[in-house]
Amino acid sequence: MDSIIVKGNGPLNGQIPIAGAKNACLTLMPVTLLTEEPVVLTNVPRLTDITTMSDLLRSFGAEVTAALDGQELTLHSGAITNHTAEYEIVRKFRASFFVLGPMLAREGQAVVSLPGGCAIGARPVDLHLKGLEALGAVMELRDGYVHATAPGGLHGGTHEFPFVSVGATENLLMAATLAKGTTVLKNAAREPEVVDLAKCLSAMGAQIDGAGTSTITIQGVARLHGTTHPVVVDRIELGTYMLAPAIAGGSVELLGGRLDLVRAFAEKLQVAGISVAETHNGLLVSQNNGRVRAVDVKTEPHPGFPTDLQAQMMALLCTADGVSVLEETIFENRFMHAPELARMGADIEVHGGHATVTGVEKLRGAPVMATDLRASVSLILAGLAAEGETVLSRVYHLDRGYERVEEKLSACGASIQRVTDDG
Ligand code: EPZ
């Protein structure tokens, strides 16, 4: 099993290219189930989750062909030969549940394993099921699987989500494109990945208004055609690498970075004393004024502060000048990185959904363990400014959402390497 060794190595300087968004790609790939024509995705990130989604779609009879070293995918579902998403695949990654809506819309039937919980929370799928039922689906839970049918096809309707869910919004948005009549989704998620999905579906002939707002209206159509769609830049990878010079000092340009995707996050960095500037190629982040200032953070649905950057922000605040309070409002168990940061000398107190971080002068390297995707990269960021060596194990968590971390950071002067333990 691989591990990654990071040593504090002083300020970082250079450029880091930002890839396409994992969380956009994972909802864009299932759109292939909505048409018999090929869909081409460009700017695809090279991640294990993308490979797993490709395998899942192939299990339904789709052809998935990679090109350009995996950065381009052609997805073609000429015919669906299997309607079941097996537990063995679904348990590996939750996004596989995003096939339910499109499969139901096209085929009128789908059998999808319930995903079960994960490290950061119980993560039920009740909003997905209730939403699809509002469009005429019939759901039956049996032996850990959702058996879904849509006798007579899906129909439009007005559905209000009790609270914001990115995945449930995406599942219903895809399903509603082929439903008879008009669907209005209220209290919908406004995340850039939802906007990117709507953009792709519209290019396939779907009739969608209001993506990016809380109310999305979809006029169902009889069929969708193929398209070529560039995956939006990954705002979470972007935010993660914006924190590298913030933590280690220096100046790094994030190529392809867009301020509009990370506004709430960038504002918090500026309050902490970090400079964020737009450039011709992206964003330039600089931090050359010693210790950053403490700031309080509360995670919220977009356009609020993203929960997927909370762990990385905590790594920064561990050496801030003062006391910061982080409030996690999206997931009930998303402070697993705190005890690992404490192993590096951080001073963190967690009470339910609040973490109080008292900044220390310097962290020290230590052996630490990744517990989930974002926690893993927060430990690498902390290691960039720590004294001595940080050894991160369970790196498979990281590979799910970050491509070529070592290359990207060492190109800016970081001391970071992956070691493979063949034991
Ligand atoms: C998406 O997950 C992202 N994953 C997550 O990123 C991200 O943290 C999350 O949105 C919030 O921004 C993908 O896009 C693949 P939700 P999703 O439905 O859709 C509860 C990462 O690190 N809920 O918006 O699963 C749920 O438990 C990952 O890349 C229900 O109770 O998130 C959570 O507390 C982690 N019932 C809250 O709502 C439901 O049916 C928000 O979840 C659905 C959700």
Side-chain angles (χ1 to χ4, degrees), residues 236-257:
I236 306 301
E237 188 196 29
L238 171 60
T240 300
Y241 288 122
M242 288 168 74
L243 281 163
I247 289 176
S251 190
V252 172
E253 187 177 23
L254 296 312
L255 304 177

Side-chain angles (χ1 to χ4, degrees), residues 22-23 26 94-95 98 120 122-128 163-168 170 191 235 307-308 330-332 334 373-374:
K22 167 183 83 82
N23 289 347
L26 290 177
R94 312 178 48 72
F98 298 171
I120 65 176
R123 303 186 73 178
V125 291
D126 52 329
L127 299 194
H128 298 243
F163 52 87
V164 170
S165 160
V166 176
E170 292 165 340
E191 269 65 7
R235 65 194 168 102
T307 173
D308 294 347
I330 309 290
F331 292 104
E332 65 274 22
R334 202 167 205 182
L373 168 58
R374 308 304 172 183

Side-chain angles (χ1 to χ4, degrees), residues 19 39 47 53 63 65 69 107 123-124 131 159-160 194 201 208 325 335 365 376 384 410 423:
V39 172
L47 306 167
M53 180 61 91
E63 287 159 37
T65 320
D69 186 25
E107 298 285 299
R123 303 186 73 178
H159 182 68
E160 175 145 9
V194 172
L201 291 167
I208 302 171
V325 175
F335 287 135
S376 59
L384 292 174
S410 46

Side-chain angles (χ1 to χ4, degrees), residues 300-360:
E300 291 170 302
H302 191 84
F305 189 101
T307 173
D308 294 347
L309 286 170
Q310 177 260 99
Q312 301 92 314
M313 191 70 182
M314 185 185 277
L316 172 74
L317 299 172
C318 287
T319 54
D321 183 6
V323 178
S324 313
V325 175
L326 289 113
E327 183 180 354
E328 174 56 56
T329 71
I330 309 290
F331 292 104
E332 65 274 22
N333 187 33
R334 202 167 205 182
F335 287 135
M336 304 279 277
H337 39 284
E340 298 301 315
L341 288 166
R343 291 176 49 71
M344 300 176 72
D347 178 350
I348 306 168
E349 267 191 53
V350 174
H351 295 290
H354 290 82
T356 304
V357 183
T358 304
V360 297

